[in-house]
């Protein structure tokens, strides 16, 4: 039986999945590309996406940070990854992206290494799932073991 993977939503990119994502994602993973934020929101509302990768700015010039915050608030089971460049990043911009609550940060310079891309996809999905699990079990976890359970997740 062949395993099916949930689609990845790539925001701010052309209509075809880039080579770095095709090589880094598990084989057969569908990639939905959106160049604008409204189209991305429509895809998210369809409920089939479990991972969103955002370029910092879409082709229209709109910043994707608000979309990342909305995903965290409205779609808590969707993992988020933001893309940045080590060469061109402004530390303040990086801090603003981190404050959106992204689950992982993928540097443009690392996209050429498929294993790094795969690691970021897995890391983001794992962090998102762990946050969801912790939210469910934290109220029932005794205070004395809470730190070790949180650390384990």
């Amino acid at each position: 039986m062949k395993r099916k993977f949930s689609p990845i939503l790539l925001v701010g990119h052309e209509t075809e999945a880039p080579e770095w994502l095709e090589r880094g994602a598990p084989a057969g993973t569908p990639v939905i590309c959106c160049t604008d934020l409204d189209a991305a929101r429509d895809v998210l509302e369809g409920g089939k996406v479990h991972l969103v990768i955002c370029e910092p700015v879409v082709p229209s010039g709109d910043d994707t940070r608000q979309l990342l915050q909305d995903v965290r608030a409205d779609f808590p089971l969707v993992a988020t990854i933001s893309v940045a460049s080590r060469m061109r990043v402004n530390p303040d911009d990086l801090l603003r992206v981190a404050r959106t609550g992204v689950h992982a940060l993928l540097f443009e310079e690392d996209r050429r290494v498929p294993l790094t891309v795969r690691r970021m996809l897995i890391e983001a999905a794992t962090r998102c799932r762990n946050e969801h699990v912790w939210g469910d079990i934290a109220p029932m976890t005794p205070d004395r073991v809470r730190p070790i359970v949180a650390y384990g997740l």
Side-chain angles (χ1 to χ4, degrees), residues 116-129:
T116 301
V117 173
R118 174 87 47 104
R119 183 174 55 85
M120 287 296 112
L121 298 174
I122 292 169
E123 182 179 311
T126 301
R127 283 185 179 158
C128 181
R129 184 178 52 247

Side-chain angles (χ1 to χ4, degrees), residues 78-150:
V78 176
T80 55
I81 297 176
S82 184
V83 179
S85 170
R86 286 187 184 98
M87 305 303 282
R88 296 178 280 127
V89 71
N90 175 335
D92 292 332
D93 288 340
L94 199 55
L95 184 58
R96 283 190 281 276
V97 167
R99 286 183 177 146
T100 66
V102 293
H103 295 103
L105 184 63
L106 177 63
F107 288 102
E108 290 175 3
E109 295 81 8
D110 293 336
R111 293 189 300 191
R112 69 182 192 284
V113 182
L115 288 176
T116 301
V117 173
R118 174 87 47 104
R119 183 174 55 85
M120 287 296 112
L121 298 174
I122 292 169
E123 182 179 311
T126 301
R127 283 185 179 158
C128 181
R129 184 178 52 247
N130 290 351
E131 286 175 1
H132 184 69
V133 168
W134 180 244
D136 288 345
I137 67 170
M140 300 176 290
T141 305
D143 290 340
R144 68 180 189 280
V145 295
R146 188 176 295 227
I148 194 71
V149 174

Side-chain angles (χ1 to χ4, degrees), residues 38-111:
D38 290 333
R41 289 178 202 284
D42 290 342
V43 171
L44 283 164
E45 288 172 5
K48 296 184 180 190
V49 174
H50 292 282
L51 182 72
V52 175
I53 301 174
C54 280
E55 298 284 336
V57 177
V58 293
S60 66
D62 293 331
D63 190 318
T64 59
R65 286 181 298 202
Q66 185 60 50
L67 176 67
L68 290 169
Q69 289 175 335
D70 293 346
V71 169
R72 291 282 297 199
D74 300 335
F75 306 98
L77 297 178
V78 176
T80 55
I81 297 176
S82 184
V83 179
S85 170
R86 286 187 184 98
M87 305 303 282
R88 296 178 280 127
V89 71
N90 175 335
D92 292 332
D93 288 340
L94 199 55
L95 184 58
R96 283 190 281 276
V97 167
R99 286 183 177 146
T100 66
V102 293
H103 295 103
L105 184 63
L106 177 63
F107 288 102
E108 290 175 3
E109 295 81 8
D110 293 336
R111 293 189 300 191

Side-chain angles (χ1 to χ4, degrees), residues 15-27:
T15 57
E16 188 175 307
E19 181 184 352
W20 61 266
L21 187 53
E22 286 183 352
R23 289 182 21 213

